[in-house]
C-alpha cells in the first residue's frame, strides 16, 4: 500500500534543541513571574509597614500605613476590573514577534522598574509631603500593577500559542509550574538574608531601607531578565486559530456565567474564601518569625522546606486524586491545614513546632489549587451540558480573578493587623506587648481558620461535580454534539463545503474493520449516533479521512468531531469508556476551529495503556448527519485489515 500523506506541520520538525530552548525559556519566565508576584503580594507589605514611614510620631506612622495599605488593596480590586480590557488589548495585538511576547517583555520591563521605585521613599517625599507621596504612590502602584497584569495574562496565555501538540504543551506547562513553584518559594528563602546583608542597621532582624531596596533591585532584575528571555527564547505559532474570536470576560460577564453555572458558582465561592484565608496567614508568617519569635532569618528554613514540599505535592497530585478522588482529597487537605493552624497557634517560639505546624498548613496548598483548577476546568463541560453553550474563556478566567481578589483583601487586612499589633516602624520582638501578641495571633490563626472552615462547608454541601459526573456529561455531550452542529451551522463550514453527490470515507486509523453493531456500546451499536463502522486498531494514530474543520476536540482528547468540506459530520471516538482516563495516554495535534487536510495527523493514543487500564480500545467512526444521505454503501468487508487513508470503508450519497 502507498504511504499516507505527510502533512507534518512546521512546528513538528523543530529541532530538539529548539524545543528545549523554548521550554527552558518559558520555565525561567515562570520563575521570574512568581519571584515578582511573591514579592509584590507578600513581602512588599512588610516593607511598607516596618520601614516606609518613620516620622517620629507613632500615631502618624500608623495612620499613613493604614492609608497606604488601603490604597494598595483598593487599587488591586480596581485592577480586577481593568484586567478584561488588558485581555482584549492582548487579543487584538498582531506583531511580527507574536501576540503575547511583546506584552510579556514590555510588561515585565516596566513593572520591574516601577516596583523598584516603590521600594523607596521617593527622595524623602513620604515625610516632607506625605499626601503628595500617597498620590504619586497610587499612580505608580496602579501603573506597575497594570503592566504586571499585561505580562502575567500574556505569559500564561502563551502555552496554546507555543504548540498544537498537547504533549508538548503539557511538558511546557509542567516545567513552567516547576519554575513558578521554585520562584514563589525562593523569595521567602532569600528575603531576610538579602535584606540584612545589604542593611547598614539590622534593626532587631528587620533590616533598613537600604537593605530592602537592594532586595527589590535583585527581584526587579530577575523580573526584567526573565521577561526578555521569554521574548528571545520562545516562538509563537502563526496560525489563524490564534486570532481573537471572543472578547475576554468582563466582570459583568464573569458574574453572569457564575450565576448560570451553579457548580462554577459554588466552587468559586469556596475557593474565594479559601484564597482569602491562606493569603492572610501566609503573609503574616514573616511577621511571626520577626516579631513573635525574634528570629527573622529562620524564616528562610521554612521557605526552603516549602519549596521542596511544593514540588513533591504537585508531582503526587495525580496519584492522590486517583486514589482518594478530588472531593475526598480536598476535604483531607483542609482538615490537615486546620490541624496545622491549631498547632501553629500554640507553638510559641519553638522553631521545631512552628516548622511542623507551618508545613502541615502548607503541604495541602498545591493540592487544593490543583483540585479546584480541575473542577473549574470540568465546569466548562458542565456549563455546556446545562446551558447549551460553551463558556471556556469566561469560566477559566474565574480562578485567577479569585486569587487576585484574595490577595487584595489580604493586603488590606495584613496592614491593619500590623498596626493593631504594633508591628510597625521601629518595632521588635521585645517591644510587642502580650496584648499585641494576642491580637496578632487571633487575626493570624482564628480569622483564617474560620474563613477556611466556611470554604470547606460550602464545598462539602454544594460541589457535586465529581470525576464520574464529568465523565457522564462528556459522554452525553459527545452523543449530542453532531445534532448541535447541524442546528447551528458555521457559515465558514457551509461556504467551504463541496457539494459532491457521492462521498468516499476512508479509515482514520489502521486496523481490523468490524461492524458497528458488534461494538460494546448500545448507543453506537444501534446507530444511535448515526451509521458508521469500527476499527480494532493496530496503530495508535488517527488521521483526517477527508478535508475538514475540527469542530469539537474534547478536553479528554479521546474524541474528535469533524465537519468535512464535503458536508459530512463525522465523530471519531477512541475506545469505550476512555473518557475516564482524563486525557492520559492521548496526544492531540490540532485545535477546535482548525482546518485539516486529508491524511493529516489528528491524535495519537497509547493503545497499550488503554488496554492496561482495562478498557476497550475500539475506534468508532459515525456519520452523525446520516439522515441527510439517501443511502450509505459499505465498500470494505467486515473483519478485513484496512490501512488508514488508502482503504475506503464506505460511500454516502446525498438525498
Amino acid at each position: 500500500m502507498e504511504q499516507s500523506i505527510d502533512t507534518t506541520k512546521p512546528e513538528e520538525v523543530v529541532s530538539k534543541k529548539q524545543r528545549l530552548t523554548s521550554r527552558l525559556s518559558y520555565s525561567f519566565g515562570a520563575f521570574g513571574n512568581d519571584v515578582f508576584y511573591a514579592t509584590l503580594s507578600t513581602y512588599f507589605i512588610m516593607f511598607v509597614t516596618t520601614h516606609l514611614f518613620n516620622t517620629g510620631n507613632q500615631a502618624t506612622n500608623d495612620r499613613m500605613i493604614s492609608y497606604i495599605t488601603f490604597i494598595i488593596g483598593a487599587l488591586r480590586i480596581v485592577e480586577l476590573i481593568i484586567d478584561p480590557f488588558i485581555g482584549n488589548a492582548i487579543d487584538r495585538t498582531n506583531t511580527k514577534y507574536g501576540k503575547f511576547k511583546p506584552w510579556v517583555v514590555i510588561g515585565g520591563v516596566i513593572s520591574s522598574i516601577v516596583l523598584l521605585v516603590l521600594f523607596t521613599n521617593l527622595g524623602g517625599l513620604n515625610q516632607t509631603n506625605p499626601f503628595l507621596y500617597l498620590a504619586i504612590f497610587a499612580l505608580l502602584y496602579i501603573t506597575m500593577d497594570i503592566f504586571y497584569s499585561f505580562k502575567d495574562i500574556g505569559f500564561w496565555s502563551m502555552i496554546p500559542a507555543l504548540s498544537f501538540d498537547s504533549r508538548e504543551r503539557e511538558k511546557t506547562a509542567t516545567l513552567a509550574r516547576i519554575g513558578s513553584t521554585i520562584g514563589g518559594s525562593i523569595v521567602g528563602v532569600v528575603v531576610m538574608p538579602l535584606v540584612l546583608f545589604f542593611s547598614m542597621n539590622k534593626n532587631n532582624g528587620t533590616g533598613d531601607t537600604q537593605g530592602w531596596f537592594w532586595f527589590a533591585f535583585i527581584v526587579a532584575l530577575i523580573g526584567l531578565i526573565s521577561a526578555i528571555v521569554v521574548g528571545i527564547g520562545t516562538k509563537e505559532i502563526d496560525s489563524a486559530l490564534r486570532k481573537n474570536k471572543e472578547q475576554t470576560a468582563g466582570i459583568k460577564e464573569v458574574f453572569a456565567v457564575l450565576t448560570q453555572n451553579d457548580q462554577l458558582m459554588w466552587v468559586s465561592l469556596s475557593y474565594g474564601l479559601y484564597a482569602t484565608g491562606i493569603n492572610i496567614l501566609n503573609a503574616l508568617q514573616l511577621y511571626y518569625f520577626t516579631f513573635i519569635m525574634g528570629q527573622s532569618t529562620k524564616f528562610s528554613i521554612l521557605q526552603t522546606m516549602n519549596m521542596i514540599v511544593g514540588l513533591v505535592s504537585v508531582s503526587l497530585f495525580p496519584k492522590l486524586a486517583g486514589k482518594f478522588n478530588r472531593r475526598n482529597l480536598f476535604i483531607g487537605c483542609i482538615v490537615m491545614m486546620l490541624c496545622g493552624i491549631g498547632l501553629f497557634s500554640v507553638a510559641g517560639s519553638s522553631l521545631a513546632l512552628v516548622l511542623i505546624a507551618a508545613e502541615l498548613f502548607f503541604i495541602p496548598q498545591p493540592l487544593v489549587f490543583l483540585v479546584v483548577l480541575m473542577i473549574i476546568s470540568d465546569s466548562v463541560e458542565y456549563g455546556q451540558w446545562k446551558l447549551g453553550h460553551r463558556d471556556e474563556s469566561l469560566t477559566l478566567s474565574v480562578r485567577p480573578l479569585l486569587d487576585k481578589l484574595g490577595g487584595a483583601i489580604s493586603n488590606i487586612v495584613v496592614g491593619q493587623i500590623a498596626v493593631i499589633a504594633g508591628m510597625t516602624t521601629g518595632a521588635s520582638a521585645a517591644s510587642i506587648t502580650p496584648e499585641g501578641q494576642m491580637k496578632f495571633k487571633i487575626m493570624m490563626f482564628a480569622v483564617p481558620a474560620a474563613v477556611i472552615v466556611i470554604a470547606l462547608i460550602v464545598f462539602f454541601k454544594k460541589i457535586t461535580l465529581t470525576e464520574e459526573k464529568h465523565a457522564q456529561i462528556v459522554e452525553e455531550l459527545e452523543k449530542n454534539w453532531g445534532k448541535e452542529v447541524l442546528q447551528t451551522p458555521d457559515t465558514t463550514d457551509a461556504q467551504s463545503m463541496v457539494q459532491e453527490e457521492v462521498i468516499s470515507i476512508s479509515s482514520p486509523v489502521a486496523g481490523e474493520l468490524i461492524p458497528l453493531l458488534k461494538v460494546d456500546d448500545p448507543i453506537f451499536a444501534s446507530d444511535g449516533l448515526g451509521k458508521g463502522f469500527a476499527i480494532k486498531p493496530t496503530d495508535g494514530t488517527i488521521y483526517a479521512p477527508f478535508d475538514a474543520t475540527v469542530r469539537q476536540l474534547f478536553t479528554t482528547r479521546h474524541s474528535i468531531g469533524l465537519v468535512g468540506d464535503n458536508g459530512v459530520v463525522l465523530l471519531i471516538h477512541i475506545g469505550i469508556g476512555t473518557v475516564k482516563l482524563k486525557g492520559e495516554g492521548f496526544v492531540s495535534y490540532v485545535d477546535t476551529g482548525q482546518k485539516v487536510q486529508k491524511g493529516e495527523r489528528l491524535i495519537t493514543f497509547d493503545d497499550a495503556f488503554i488496554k492496561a487500564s482495562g478498557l476497550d480500545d475500539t475506534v468508532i467512526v459515525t456519520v452523525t448527519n446520516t439522515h441527510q444521505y439517501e443511502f450509505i454503501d459499505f465498500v470494505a468487508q467486515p473483519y478485513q485489515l484496512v490501512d488508514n487513508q488508502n482503504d475506503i470503508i464506505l460511500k454516502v450519497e446525498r438525498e
Side-chain angles (χ1 to χ4, degrees), residues 184-349:
S185 299
I186 204 168
V187 183
V189 175
V190 303
V191 55
M192 292 317 299
L194 285 176
V195 168
L196 295 176
F197 176 79
F198 288 111
S199 293
M200 297 294 291
N201 189 336
K202 307 302 181 185
N203 285 320
N204 298 306
T206 64
D208 58 24
T209 54
Q210 176 177 292
W212 281 96
F213 173 82
W214 285 108
F215 161 72
F217 178 84
I218 293 172
V219 169
L221 188 64
I222 291 173
L224 188 150
I225 293 174
S226 62
I228 293 174
V229 167
V230 171
I232 295 173
T234 61
K235 178 176 175 57
E236 295 180 31
I237 302 168
D238 185 15
S239 167
L241 291 179
R242 301 278 69 84
K243 289 181 169 55
N244 184 36
K245 296 180 180 179
E246 181 179 353
Q247 295 288 311
T248 302
I251 296 295
K252 181 179 178 180
E253 289 81 3
V254 169
F255 278 107
V257 172
L258 277 173
T259 55
Q260 294 172 14
N261 187 327
D262 62 286
Q263 287 302 287
L264 179 60
M265 180 183 70
W266 290 121
V267 76
S268 296
L269 176 59
S270 177
Y271 184 69
L273 291 166
Y274 163 85
T276 300
I278 66 164
N279 272 306
I280 291 172
L281 200 154
N282 285 339
L284 289 173
Q285 287 180 347
L286 180 54
Y287 286 84
Y288 189 95
F289 274 79
T290 303
F291 297 111
I292 301 298
M293 298 175 63
Q295 303 179 65
S296 62
T297 55
K298 297 295 174 48
F299 183 68
S300 298
I301 299 174
L302 171 62
Q303 291 301 301
T304 301
M305 294 171 63
N306 283 350
M307 180 168 58
I308 297 170
V309 166
L311 293 172
V312 174
S313 291
V314 170
S315 65
L316 290 177
F317 174 75
K319 291 184 178 179
L320 292 173
K323 183 174 182 180
F324 299 108
N325 77 50
R326 294 196 300 244
R327 181 181 176 85
N328 291 336
L329 182 59
F330 182 92
I331 294 170
C333 285
I334 297 299
V335 170
M336 180 183 289
M337 293 177 75
L338 293 173
C339 290
I341 293 174
L343 180 59
F344 211 152
S345 67
V346 298
S349 297

Side-chain angles (χ1 to χ4, degrees), residues 512-545:
E512 181 186 7
L513 176 66
I514 59 176
L516 201 57
L517 60 87
K518 296 295 183 179
V519 170
D520 190 18
D521 184 298
I523 296 180
F524 281 114
S526 63
D527 294 339
L529 297 182
K531 293 186 179 297
F533 56 91
I535 300 288
K536 202 68 175 173
T538 55
D539 182 33
T541 304
I542 301 294
Y543 296 92

Side-chain angles (χ1 to χ4, degrees), residues 432-468:
I432 307 301
T433 65
E435 182 183 3
Q437 288 193 16
M438 180 58 66
K439 291 178 180 178
F440 176 80
K441 289 182 178 180
I442 290 173
M443 297 301 293
M444 179 175 180
F445 302 122
V447 172
V451 174
I452 291 172
V453 166
I454 296 172
L456 175 60
I457 293 171
V458 172
F459 187 94
F460 182 76
K461 288 185 172 293
K462 296 296 184 180
I463 303 301
T464 59
L465 186 56
T466 62
E467 293 93 316
E468 292 76 15

